[in-house]
Amino acid sequence: MTYANITIEDLASDQADKMVKIVKISGQLDESNVDEQSKTIYQLIEANPKNLYLIFDFSELEYLNSKAIGYLTDWYGKISAESGQIAISMAQENIVDILQVVGLTQLITCHVTLDEAKTAMLAS
Amino acid sequence: MDQTPTITTPTAAPQAEIPNTPPSGDETVQISITLPTNAYFLSGIRDFTLTMTKNMTGFSDQWAFRFQSVVDELCNNAIEHGSALGQEIVITFIGHPQESLEIIVDDSGTGPNKYTAAEMQGIFKEQVQKVQTQFLGLRGRGLAKIVAEWTDEIKFEDSDKGGLRVRVKKYIKNP
């Protein structure tokens, strides 16, 4: 199985009902691991059904396939339907390129730095 | 008795010289790789695609990453839809340096979704229209979006072995 790892970190927010988390995905998301890895995010959404704000830190993500993009789209739909938001930060050029070609950058903002993403998420 | 191993140099037949240099600038390079129908091997073929494109085709690094995705999506389709477990798929790269890169993926025709080339052409056309007009769910972006956007030609053929062959080509002059 291709290597991939997900770590989740809480980010303190002024608003008590707002749950902000940084989800760092490292490695490569492909057919061999994406179904298994995606369970972590679905569990996170299930545990925090409302006002969930996720910042995906893609600084160490080297590859993602079309199915991983499908999952990202699904998480976007589920989270934004319940007053939450998704943002991406520090994605490498090849990752931004593939997100652009499938049109996902029109739905999800890609921030250049993690600080920029944090500021945007905490302020929204 | 002296038990020190001795090393002798064979002198019988002259060794054939194996080239160890990149092909010359205008030489067409064709490489075929056979993979078992197992997603485990996809990361290896992606690594190969990246290195080969960077070193032997004249395409930019950005295109090397794009071909990585094209190959990954084509191979995954061949494994998931066109070939049963325990079978093989064949990936062929034909590089015309400074001109084009052609990628051909053959499935074994033993998978759960066996389509003829004509049927696949129809499905592809339908999918391409769908991605332009509808919000897609989990699936459907691989061939119709990633492969279609990042290649200039895509052809489906029925192979002699009873499987489906997908042939894509990208011209370097057409970024």
Side-chain angles (χ1 to χ4, degrees), chain A residues 1-2 28 30-32 42 63-67 69-71 73-74 76 94 97-98 101-103 107, chain B residues 39-40 42-43 46 62 65-66 68-69 72-73 76 80 135-139 141-142 145-146 149-150:
Chain A
M1 192 184 288
T2 306
Q28 304 187 16
D30 71 2
E31 193 59 33
S32 73
Y42 281 112
Y63 181 79
L64 83 171
N65 71 353
S66 63
K67 198 195 264 188
I69 291 166
Y71 279 125
T73 313
D74 194 43
Y76 166 82
N94 61 310
D97 198 27
I98 198 165
V101 83
V102 297
L107 296 178
Chain B
Y40 174 82
L42 291 177
S43 65
R46 288 198 303 272
Q62 182 186 39
F65 283 109
R66 288 176 172 180
Q68 224 187 5
S69 294
D72 188 58
E73 298 295 338
N76 190 54
E80 188 180 354
F135 184 74
L136 292 176
L138 280 180
R139 309 301 301 270
R141 292 173 185 81
K145 200 70 190 165
I146 296 169
E149 289 276 346
W150 283 345

Side-chain angles (χ1 to χ4, degrees), chain A residues 3-16:
Chain A
Y3 170 77
N5 186 51
I6 298 179
T7 57
I8 299 166
E9 182 193 327
D10 289 331
L11 192 63
S13 162
D14 294 345
Q15 301 162 51

